[in-house]
Structures are given as structure tokens and as C-alpha cells.
Amino acid sequence: MEEQPAQEKLVAKQSELVQQHKNPCPPPRSRRWLMRGLVVVLLVSVVFNLGFYAWYQEYFTIGGGPAEQFETGDQFAKEKIAIISITGTIMPPFTERILRSIKRAHEDDQVKGILLEIDSPGGLVADSHQIYHRLVELRKTKRIVVSMKRMAASGGYYVAMGAGEEGVIFAEPTTWTGSLGVIIPRFDMSGLAEKVGIVSDPLKTGEFKDALNPFRNLTDRERAIWDHILDESYQRFLNIITDNRKNLDYDQVKKLATGQIYPATDAKQNGLIDEIGYQEDALARLKEITGLNQVRVIRYSHPKSLADILLGSAEASQAENRKQALLDSTVPRAMYFASWMGDLPAW
């Protein structure tokens, strides 16, 4: 009989332990505050370290310009070859970064040559010419060799002319180049507007104030004005190629400037490039031209600011930025660009 109560006590004890396991006691208030405090400290630490990293990058970048990254060659050599990369569509904010790289190379007496690396379908007329203009100044003291990657078309070819007559242009076997010409992207939605009953009636102070309105057809007078604007940029493009390609005259350049894309073999045959080869071939030629044996090849990079790191792409999603992008997309832009589309609203 004494054995039965003992077993009952054991069973009751086990049930109590199981119940405690199912319903554990909440941690004391002090422990919860400790955990919250540790989370806050962790967040503050992350923000502090990101800020310190951004400050470090900015502090060790001369004059707020690009930083140097070792690419190849003799890491301890005094004399340098600088790689300036032009990638993607030539437009802000990338234009400013390219200009800062050119400025940095121009001011650095240790830089003896420039490898201009181009992988771009072109971009805005004004931005392409700004880069070309700065390269013309740079080539007065530094030799420039061009290495074309996947594509160096339209504005991408325009900036390559910054190497000058003495420069050498390399293109990879699969490079597309050419597309010599100007385009102002425009959509004609007048037919759609008529179908859905949209009437565009802007209030304006002059006949040509809404000359590129997509909801109506261009008048003959408007088309004549824009043809003149296009031709001015087109003639500049032709003259710049003529001035910088010693084996091509104006008539030959004009014959090639149909907007056509040329593969590397055709581009060489037509005198648009000098050699078919890769970046290492262009670099070897630049070393030969400059007479450099022991040289440090560096690449310019642009560190992100603290705002870039903290905000990332969040800023671009704000309503004001979307509205700004929509408004910007309606502004006429003459482009040296290997595409028919150009800007789409809010892209």
C-alpha cells in the first residue's frame, strides 16, 4: 500500500515537469531589457562602422577624386599606366566620375600613359563631347591607347577619338562598334490618342514650345528645326572622326556614318580601328609606345559615399524621384546612342 502513493507522487512530478516544459516561465524583465539593449548597441555599431568606412574611403581619396586599385605589373614601380573605364550609357552621374578620373590622371606626374577601356553603346551628345574634350587635353602630355570591349558604338566611338591620330585603337574580335550618327528618341502616339479620345492642348508662348509632343504629328516647320539641330551634332561627329583618324577623310567617314553597327573585322577594314586584340595586347602596345618596362598598372575606382551605403536603392524608390524621372524623360535629348529607344518614362 505504501508503494502506490510513491508511484502516484512520481507520476505527478513527471506531469508537473512536462507542464513546465510546455509553458516555460517568461524571462525576467531585466533580461528582456538587456536583450533590447544589445540589439540597439549592435545597430549603432553597424551604422558607426559604415560611417567610418565611408570616411576612410573619402579621406584616402585625393581631392575627393577616384581611388587607385592595383591591376597588374610591378606593384612597387614608381611610373604608372592608368586604366580609365567608360562603361554603360554615357550620362550623369557616370560622366562626372569619368571626368574626375581623367583629371586625376592629368595631375599625376607618375602616370605616363592611359589605357582607355570602353564598353558603351554611347549616350548623351553633351556628355560624350565633354569626355572627348578632356581627353584631348590629357593626350597633350600622356599617350592614350584604346581597348574596346563588347561594344564601343556611337558615343562610345566618339570618346575613343580622344586618343587622337597618334593613339592606337584595339577592338576584341567580337566587339561591335560604329553606329555613327545622332538620334533624338521620340514616340508618336497620335494614333493612339485619337482612338482613346485624348486631345493635347498645352498652354504655350511660342509655336515650337511643344515641338516634340508625342500626342500629335510633327509639322513640317518643326521637323525642319529638329533636322537642323540633329545635323549640327552629326557634322561635329563626322569632323571629329576626320580629325582623329589619319587614314580617313571626310567623305569616307560620311559614307560610313549611316548608323550601321560594324563588327571588328569590318571596322578594321574600313579604318575605324587599328588592331584586333584584347586588353593585354593594348597594354603591351602602350608599354612599347611609352618605353616603360617596369610599370605599375592601376585602375581608378569611385568609392561609395555614406549616403550611397546607407540609402542604397531606397532613395530611388521615393515618389519625388519617380516624378523627377518622369519629367526628365520628356526633355528632348540628342544622343550618340546605338538604340532607337532612348529614355522611357520613369525608367
Side-chain angles (χ1 to χ4, degrees), residues 156-211:
Y157 188 81
Y158 192 105
V159 297
M161 296 299 95
E165 287 189 346
E166 301 302 320
V168 183
I169 298 178
F170 281 79
E172 294 182 358
T174 55
T175 296
W176 286 2
T177 187
S179 187
L180 312 178
V182 194
I183 184 172
I184 298 178
R186 179 179 183 268
F187 295 91
D188 185 351
M189 296 186 286
S190 57
L192 177 63
E194 185 177 349
K195 286 183 179 180
V196 299
I198 296 175
V199 178
S200 177
D201 187 21
L203 305 177
K204 56 184 182 178
T205 57
E207 176 185 355
F208 305 111
K209 192 61 180 173
D210 69 330

Side-chain angles (χ1 to χ4, degrees), residues 67 71 143 147 168-169 179 182 238 267 275-277 285 289 308 316:
E71 184 84 1
R143 296 296 299 274
S147 175
V168 183
I169 298 178
S179 187
V182 194
L238 298 183
E275 302 287 349
I276 297 178
R285 178 66 64 86
I289 291 172
D308 292 332

